[in-house]
Amino acid sequence: MTTVDTQQTLDYDRLFLGGQWTAPATAERIEVHSATTHERVGSVPEAREADVDAAVTAARGAFDDPTGWAHWSPSRRREALERFAQALEARGQETARRVTIQNGMPIRLAQQWEQGFPPVLVRYFADLAESTQEEIRPGLLGKQTKVLRRPIGVVAQIVPWNVPQAITFLALSPALAAGCTVVLKPSLETVLDAFLLAEAAEAAGLPAGIINIVPGGREIGAYLVSHLGVDKVAFTGSTAAGRKVAAACGELLRPVTLELGGKSAAVILDDADLDSQLEDFFAATMINNGQVCWTGTRLLVPSSRYDELTGTLADLYSGLKVGDPLDPETQIGPLVSERQRDRVEGYIAQGKQEARLLVGGGRPQGIDQGWFVEPTVFADVDPKATIAQEEIFGPVLSIIRYQDEADATRIANDSDFGLGGSVWTADPERGEAFARTVRTGTIGINGYANDPVAPFGGVKASGLGRELGREGLASFQEIKTIYLDKLNG
Ligand code: NAD
């Protein structure tokens, strides 16, 4: 395993609040350890209530400034955000490295998602905001109406540890492009990449107070969500926490976007040529060590080809390269933490009671440190089994047999969740016809890949609202109607 240079740990003693590196209110600290070697890699101050108050005050002040960010023209904001995109690019490699060390994401993937995606999103939303015009609607009753899109205000953003940078930018980019200001709360497990983001904001000369970062746990997250200075909450995390956030926002009548858990279906139709699509199939089902909300973790296999396809899948998942996530060849790294490994191993034990273990089921041989579990596949899984219904969030898959397409649709929809999914077929039209029958927010044909223009989000217990695309920008805007005088027209 690549060891970390412990002489050069990343220790920060200040928080990024109001555009300044500010002394924290208390001496509490968050210690960060490598998911792979368990070495201490750095530490940051832990934000407490007084720090959140300072962050919200700064964001509020920046938003309410009558000549500030919210009132800049979209093209002036775009110029500033272009500098931000460049500053992120300049730090991109280090961002990927920090994420990989903290959460075990294979470095190739971190370079693609955590290094590559943020500047793309910043530019996409800055351009989109610039091209979104005020609209004039001819009225039915004689006068015209002007429809404005105003920034919604101070945004509290709460993110998980699994894809910390790309997920942050799913909401941070449209929020800033719309003219909002943001208080970001990263997860305890992944704080070091968030400090690099702060450095990029500072280097880009973004106005003080438009980005503020309060690293902390769930209590500080709950405090931020209910803070009186906040206008909108963007939450990504578990369904259990999302329900609490939604309840707090409901009480306050505060708009909220929720990107929550999933248990999506990867449906192999009976004409699929899976052998030629194994890399894409792996990416759609077990990427990032199985710690992705949208992955298809229920593999629906037709009865007519069950034995053959189960054999193909066994070969695929037993042949993955498991190991050091800093090695560019690695496909499966460690889980983020001991707690997460305990949770995943609990589900594997449950699966051994409920189904036939096909691949894995233990810890990888020859690796004596890091929060690793073997890629694990269960076959003959009952669609109602716990491992087929609950989100495991690790490299654990369930193969479920189906009889015909109607049966596959029924099983795919037999879930509390509805976030992602995929259909595998030699006939894309047939794939699309099937995709239409699945109740989910997003679904791919012969693959699954988010795109900045494509709205992303879930139905049922997977969440509320959409990120990305025009819809993602709109969720940080409020609509204001001006009924024009006849003379305006
Ligand atoms: P988590 O819900 O425990 O924590 C997520 C974030 O919310 C963390 O920053 C945490 O500190 C904070 N938090 C927890 N409870 C809170 C509360 N009551 N009020 C305010 N903040 C609170 O989830 P996790 O274990 O960090 O992440 C994994 C989960 O996130 C999985 O369920 C996964 O499916 C989901 N997720 C969803 C998406 C999506 O886009 N739908 C993306 C990634 C992860």
Side-chain angles (χ1 to χ4, degrees), residues 137-331:
R137 295 190 192 171
L140 292 181
L141 304 176
K143 292 189 180 181
Q144 302 204 92
T145 296
K146 190 169 267 188
V147 182
L148 313 183
R149 291 177 178 272
R150 305 293 309 141
I152 205 164
V154 173
V155 175
Q157 190 188 0
I158 296 184
V159 294
W161 43 261
N162 61 327
V163 190
Q165 284 302 299
I167 288 177
T168 293
F169 280 88
L170 291 183
L172 181 65
S173 331
L176 293 178
C180 298
T181 61
V182 178
V183 177
L184 168 69
K185 192 204 79 63
S187 273
L188 292 172
E189 294 82 352
T190 45
V191 286
L192 298 175
D193 50 297
F195 277 64
L196 211 50
L197 186 164
E199 289 174 22
E202 186 185 35
L206 292 185
I210 72 167
I211 299 177
N212 308 272
I213 301 182
V214 287
R218 61 185 54 183
E219 295 79 19
I220 218 65
Y223 182 75
L224 173 61
V225 163
S226 294
H227 203 289
L228 289 181
V230 166
D231 297 308
K232 147 111 195 184
V233 174
F235 176 84
T236 305
S238 62
T239 296
R243 287 185 203 281
K244 293 190 182 129
V245 169
C249 290
E251 189 61 35
L252 291 160
L253 285 182
R254 180 166 289 172
V256 59
T257 312
L258 300 170
E259 295 291 354
L260 308 177
K263 190 76 188 179
S264 301
V267 183
I268 307 173
L269 298 185
D270 57 14
D271 65 350
D273 174 16
L274 206 58
D275 288 325
S276 66
Q277 299 175 298
L278 293 176
E279 204 173 313
D280 290 337
F281 196 82
F282 162 70
T285 55
M286 204 187 269
I287 199 162
N288 197 26
N289 318 329
Q291 298 175 134
V292 181
C293 50
W294 49 252
T295 42
T297 49
R298 295 181 293 149
L299 314 185
L300 272 55
V301 173
S303 200
S304 57
R305 294 179 57 195
Y306 190 78
D307 291 343
E308 169 222 331
L309 286 169
T310 298
T312 304
L313 295 169
D315 291 346
L316 169 63
Y317 295 104
S318 59
L320 295 173
K321 184 166 184 329
V322 181
D324 183 354
L326 286 168
D327 177 345
E329 298 300 312
T330 291
Q331 292 169 290

Side-chain angles (χ1 to χ4, degrees), residues 460-478:
K460 302 192 271 184
S462 291
L464 290 176
R466 292 291 177 270
E467 295 185 311
L468 297 177
R470 285 193 302 279
E471 295 75 7
L473 179 64
S475 78
F476 294 98
Q477 294 170 320
E478 57 191 15

